[in-house]
Amino acid sequence: MAATQSDNRKSANVDREAPGAAPTHHLSEELLLDYAAGVTDEAVGVLIATHLTLCPVCRARADQLDALGGVMMDRLTPSPLSEDAFDRLMARLDADAPGDDAPLRHDIDMRAPGGGRDGRGGDDDALMSGGGASDAVLPRVLQRYVPARVEDIDWTPIGLGVRRFDLSITGRSRATMLYVPAGRAVPQHTHEGNEYVLVLQGAFTDCCGHFGRGDVGIADSDLDHRPVAELGQDCICLAVTDGPLRLTGLLGRAFNRFVKF
Amino acid sequence: MKTTGTGNAEQETERAAADRSEPVEPGPEEHAAWMRAVAQERSKVAFARLFDHFAPRIKAYLVRSGSDMGAAEELVQEAMLIVWRRAESFDRAQASVATWMFTIARNKRIDAYRRMSRPELDPDDPALAPQPEPMQDDSVGADETAQAIRTAIADLPEEQAEMLRLAFYEDLAHSEIAEKTGLPLGTVKSRLRLAIGKMRGLVDDDLR
Ligand SMILES: [Zn+2]
C-alpha cells in the first residue's frame, strides 16, 4: 500500500519547504479508514493525528469517513435497551454535579467527543494544555508522548549523529522519534509490516521525492526507498512501524549509504 | 437493509406510527433541533428523543463490534452522558448529529476494549494547519454531506457494502478482514477503495 501519493512530486533538489507549506504526501485511504473505524494501534493513530494536524486535505477526508461511520451506524437495526435504561441515565444526569462540566469545557471538540479525556483523563489534560506549550516542531497530540519542546527530549545517540527517542505507547506498533543530521540516512532496521515516516522538521528525499514537514512516506527494506535527510536543516521525524520492530543491525549497511547523497 | 421498530414498546409508543415507515422518521433536521434544545435549554424532553433514536443504534454498533449486552448497555449510558455534557460543543456546520454520535460511540468502544484513548488532533493547537479558503465554504452543510453518503452507500454492490460493514461494525482492520473472509488482502483493499471512492465522488459533486 502506498501512503505516498507522488502526483504532486517535487524536485528532489528542493532543499526546504517554504514555512507553512501544505503536505503533498498524504495518508493512504487504508490508514484513514482504519482510523475512522477505530482499529488502528495507538502508535499509528498518533502518526495519523499528527498528519491531520498539519494537513487540511486529509482532515477533510477524515471528516468524510467519520460521516460515513455516522451513516453506517444510523443504518443498523436498532438494538432495544433494557426497560429502565433511560431512567437510570436520568438518575446519573441528575447526580452530575454542575461543576463536572467545567474541566471539559476547554476540551470540547466535535472531533474528540469521547477521546478518553472525559472526566478521568485529568493527567492528559494537564499534559496537553496545562503548560499551554506551543512548540514549533511538535503538534500537541505528540506532546502527550514526548516532552513538549524538542530541546527537552532525552535522545539516545545511535551513532553518526543520529538520535532516537522511543515513545511509550500501547499496542503492537512502535513509535520512535528520530533526529537525523542533515545529509544522513534515516536509519534502517528490519521489521514485518509497514513503516511510516512523518517529517516534523527539515526534509528527506527518497525515490518517491521530497518530503517536508507533515509529509508521510513509507520506509522499507528496499534501499531505493530509504529516506535520506536533505541538506540545509537537521531532520526530525516520527517513525511508526505497524509490525514488531527488530532492532538488530540498526547501524549496518544502511548507514553507509548516505554518502551517495 | 434497515428495519425499525424492534419491540421496545415503552419508547415506541409516542412515535410508533412514524417508525413504521422510514420517510417520516425524524431526520437530520430534527436531530439537530433536539441537540440545540439540549445545549441551550438543557431540555430533557429533547434529550429523551435523541436517546430514543440513537441509544439503540449505539448499542447495536457496540454489540456488532463484540460487546456483550451488559457491557454495551453500560457504554451506551456513558456515551449518552457525554452527549448531555457536551451538547454545547456540537457544531452542526462540522458534523451531522449521526456523525457526532458515531464518533462518541467509537471512542467509547476504543477506550473500553483497546484500553487506550484514541489519539486525536487538538483543534486549538497553534500548529493546526488552516483550511485553505475554498474548503472553508460551509454553505453546504454536514447534513447534505451525510445525505450524499447515504445515497452513495445505498447503491453499493453488496460485496463492497459488506467490506464497509466489516470495517465499521466489526472492529476489523484491513488485514483482519482479509483473514476473516478468506479474501486476498488486495481484494479487500480494492473493494474498500472503490466503495470510498464512490462516496467521495458523490460528496464532492454535491459540494460543487
Ligand atoms: Zn494529507
Side-chain angles (χ1 to χ4, degrees):
Chain A
M1 55 159 289
T4 56
Q5 292 172 359
S6 40
D7 42 334
N8 198 357
R9 184 176 306 220
K10 295 189 173 172
S11 153
N13 294 326
V14 178
D15 243 8
R16 222 181 288 188
E17 289 284 352
T24 56
H25 298 273
H26 297 288
L27 298 169
S28 66
E29 204 73 279
E30 179 182 352
L31 280 179
L32 283 172
L33 178 60
D34 283 350
Y35 181 70
V39 297
T40 46
D41 263 2
E42 191 171 8
V44 178
V46 169
L47 180 127
I48 291 172
T50 302
H51 180 81
L52 294 182
T53 303
L54 301 173
C55 180
V57 173
C58 288
R59 208 152 65 228
R61 293 167 70 207
D63 285 349
Q64 285 183 355
L65 291 178
D66 281 353
L68 174 60
V71 169
M72 296 289 292
M73 192 175 84
D74 214 41
R75 286 166 58 100
L76 277 171
T77 304
S79 174
L81 288 137
S82 57
E83 278 187 20
D84 63 345
F86 188 71
D87 293 340
R88 283 191 292 127
L89 179 60
M90 293 318 279
R92 286 170 78 165
L93 286 192
D94 292 336
D96 232 18
D100 281 6
D101 270 354
L104 293 170
R105 229 162 238 147
H106 73 279
D107 169 46
I108 51 182
D109 164 35
M110 46 79 43
R111 287 189 197 82
R117 291 186 268 132
D118 48 287
R120 59 183 176 79
D123 292 345
D124 282 350
D125 275 359
L127 253 176
M128 290 190 67
S129 50
S134 75
D135 186 277
V137 176
L138 304 179
R140 282 186 182 164
V141 62
L142 255 185
Q143 293 176 23
R144 292 172 68 182
Y145 304 90
V146 177
R149 297 183 322 148
V150 167
E151 309 90 84
D152 297 333
I153 296 178
D154 186 18
W155 299 101
T156 302
I158 53 175
L160 295 170
V162 178
R163 295 177 260 167
R164 67 180 291 164
F165 176 82
D166 293 338
L167 279 61
S168 162
I169 227 161
T170 63
R172 251 167 33 102
S173 304
R174 292 283 156 257
T176 301
M177 298 271 299
L178 291 169
Y179 186 103
V180 185
R184 297 269 160 79
V186 175
Q188 196 67 45
H189 34 254
T190 58
H191 51 83
E192 297 151 18
N194 299 298
E195 176 172 13
Y196 308 99
V197 182
L198 182 148
V199 177
L200 292 160
Q201 174 190 296
F204 68 76
T205 305
D206 73 4
C207 65
C208 295
H210 164 87
F211 294 76
R213 176 165 166 86
D215 282 329
V216 178
I218 292 189
D220 58 29
S221 45
D222 173 4
L223 282 181
D224 288 338
H225 214 158
R226 189 174 42 82
V228 175
E230 291 182 5
L231 298 172
Q233 190 181 15
D234 293 347
C235 181
I236 296 175
C237 43
L238 173 69
V240 170
T241 57
D242 67 3
L245 188 67
R246 280 194 299 274
L247 291 171
T248 50
L250 189 68
L251 294 178
R253 56 185 183 156
F255 258 47
N256 299 321
R257 303 286 301 206
F258 70 86
V259 291
K260 80 173 184 184
F261 189 72
Chain B
M1 65 174 265
K2 178 161 178 167
T3 59
T4 56
T6 44
N8 193 345
E10 200 173 50
Q11 284 163 24
E12 277 204 317
T13 8
E14 77 176 296
R15 59 188 168 83
D19 258 6
R20 296 295 173 224
S21 63
E22 209 164 334
V24 280
E25 188 172 304
E29 294 288 331
E30 286 87 352
H31 300 160
W34 296 338
M35 280 299 303
R36 212 165 30 243
V38 171
Q40 293 171 4
E41 301 152 30
R42 306 314 269 158
S43 162
K44 290 185 175 175
V45 173
F47 186 65
R49 292 184 194 281
L50 285 168
F51 184 93
D52 283 353
H53 182 81
F54 287 104
R57 289 172 168 82
I58 293 174
K59 183 177 174 189
Y61 163 73
L62 293 167
V63 169
R64 278 292 289 266
S65 63
S67 287
D68 64 49
M69 291 291 173
E73 289 262 345
E74 172 56 24
L75 287 173
V76 167
Q77 297 259 321
E78 292 177 18
M80 294 306 295
L81 271 174
I82 291 176
V83 172
W84 176 259
R85 289 177 184 159
R86 301 202 181 179
E88 270 177 67
S89 73
F90 171 72
D91 178 358
R92 199 178 170 199
Q94 302 251 24
S96 70
V97 179
T99 301
W100 196 63
M101 293 282 174
F102 166 72
T103 61
I104 290 172
R106 172 196 63 201
N107 291 4
K108 269 285 152 213
R109 197 202 72 210
I110 294 172
D111 279 357
Y113 293 102
R114 300 180 83 87
R115 305 208 176 285
M116 56 176 255
S117 58
R118 180 174 189 263
E120 306 253 9
L121 66 84
D122 180 340
D124 299 322
D125 193 340
L128 192 77
Q131 299 282 358
E133 289 301 322
M135 292 171 68
Q136 274 177 353
D137 181 11
D138 277 334
S139 60
V140 175
D143 291 343
E144 284 91 336
T145 299
Q147 189 48 50
I149 291 172
R150 211 177 293 276
T151 309
I153 66 173
D155 297 340
L156 283 182
E158 175 53 27
E159 59 173 33
Q160 292 173 29
E162 177 61 14
M163 293 296 112
L164 280 184
R165 287 196 286 271
L166 290 168
F168 274 102
Y169 301 150
E170 307 220 350
D171 203 8
L172 297 175
H174 280 56
S175 52
E176 296 163 327
I177 293 174
E179 259 167 52
K180 175 169 175 148
T181 58
L183 291 167
L185 182 57
T187 306
V188 172
K189 285 183 185 180
S190 66
R191 285 183 186 174
L192 281 167
R193 251 201 306 266
L194 281 170
I196 289 170
K198 171 149 187 241
M199 171 200 88
R200 293 204 193 282
L202 278 190
V203 170
D204 292 344
D205 283 350
D206 199 65
L207 295 179
R208 295 289 113 88

